[in-house]
Amino acid sequence: MSQLLVNINITNYLGATAPMTHIRSLKPNVTREEAIRHFSSGMVNGAAKLIRGPVRSLAELYIPYRLFQVKIRSAGREQNKAFALDAVRGVLDLYRLPALTADDQFLTLQTRNVLPVGLDAVQAEERLIEKVRRMIFTQGFFRVRDLKIEAIALPGEICVPYWVCFRGSSERVHLAVLDAVRRRPEGAKVRRLVEAWLRSDAGSSIAS
C-alpha cells in the first residue's frame, strides 16, 4: 500500500484553516486497514482503478445526526421507533440506530472532518415526519388508516463516522464513501453531501 494513501487525509484538501470541532460519535466498526482493503482489493476496485484512477487518500469523515423517538399510530395500532435524521440538510435516508444506552458505544473527539449542521430543530422535525410518512406508505409497516406521527427530539446530536476514499488525479477526484458503523458502501446522496461541503466556503482551500 502506498505511503500516500496511508498519510493523507481531508485536512490536506481543506487546508489547516478548517476549524476543529468537538463531537460525540458512534464508535466505528471498520478500522482504517479494513477500509483500505475495502477500497483497494477485488475486481470492482480493479475496474475502478482503470476507469477513475488509483486511490490517492483515505479519510475519516463525520456527519451529524439529530435523534428522534417516533410514535406511529394507524388503524388502531401503535409503534415506537428510534430514528436519526442527518442534521446537515435532512436529505439522507433515515438512520436506524441500535439502543444507545452504554457510554462505550460512543467516542468524544475533536476533528476538522465534520460536516456543519444546517437544519434547526423545527426543520429537522418536519423533514423527519415527512420521511417517516413516506416510508410507511412505501414499505407498508401496517395497513394505513388514520395515520398520526409524533416525533420527540432527543437531546444532543450524534455523529456517524464514514470512510471517504479519494480516487483519481489532482485535476479530477472521485469520491467513494463507506459507512464505518454499518459496514456498507454509501451511494450518491452521501457523496453529493460530501462534495458540496468540499466545494463550500469551508473547503475553499482545496488543493489543486
Side-chain angles (χ1 to χ4, degrees):
M1 196 61 57
S2 69
Q3 192 69 19
L4 181 64
L5 173 61
V6 174
N7 288 341
I8 292 182
N9 61 33
I10 287 180
T11 304
N12 296 88
Y13 288 83
L14 295 181
T17 58
M20 294 290 287
T21 303
H22 190 81
I23 66 169
R24 186 170 184 243
S25 169
L26 288 174
K27 278 190 174 181
N29 293 318
V30 180
T31 66
R32 186 179 185 85
E33 290 71 24
E34 290 171 334
I36 290 172
R37 288 195 296 270
H38 171 82
F39 290 116
S40 302
S41 61
M43 295 180 61
V44 173
N45 285 309
K49 180 178 179 180
L50 290 174
I51 297 171
R52 295 181 173 177
V55 174
R56 295 296 186 183
S57 68
L58 184 72
E60 267 189 309
L61 177 71
Y62 299 88
I63 296 180
Y65 282 76
R66 293 184 184 271
L67 307 179
F68 290 87
Q69 189 69 39
V70 181
K71 184 178 293 184
I72 304 169
R73 298 187 185 93
S74 177
R77 299 177 60 187
E78 181 178 302
Q79 292 189 8
N80 289 281
K81 297 181 178 293
F83 292 104
L85 174 79
D86 82 87
V88 183
R89 293 184 181 174
V91 296
L92 302 184
D93 295 337
L94 293 177
Y95 207 103
R96 291 294 306 273
L97 294 172
L100 302 177
T101 56
D103 288 339
D104 61 3
Q105 293 177 283
F106 303 96
L107 292 173
T108 300
L109 66 150
Q110 283 189 312
T111 179
R112 290 186 174 90
N113 299 349
V114 56
L115 274 61
V117 171
L119 295 181
D120 61 30
V122 174
Q123 291 173 320
E125 180 178 337
E126 290 174 348
R127 296 194 185 185
L128 176 100
I129 291 175
E130 178 186 344
K131 285 179 176 290
V132 171
R133 181 180 292 110
R134 187 182 304 122
M135 181 174 58
I136 290 170
F137 280 103
T138 57
Q139 297 182 1
F141 278 174
F142 37 71
R143 188 175 179 181
V144 180
R145 188 172 70 249
D146 300 325
L147 177 64
K148 294 181 179 179
I149 303 171
E150 180 183 357
I152 301 173
L154 301 179
E157 294 166 359
I158 190 166
C159 287
V160 175
Y162 296 82
W163 287 106
V164 180
C165 171
F166 294 83
R167 186 187 297 276
S169 65
S170 58
E171 297 178 354
R172 185 171 181 82
V173 176
H174 297 272
L175 303 184
V177 184
L178 176 69
D179 184 321
V181 175
R182 296 182 292 188
R183 295 175 174 267
R184 75 181 195 189
E186 290 292 349
K189 289 182 181 179
V190 176
R191 289 200 307 271
R192 285 196 292 265
L193 209 62
V194 176
E195 289 168 353
W197 175 61
L198 290 171
R199 295 190 184 103
S200 69
D201 292 339
S204 60
S205 56
I206 294 174
S208 61

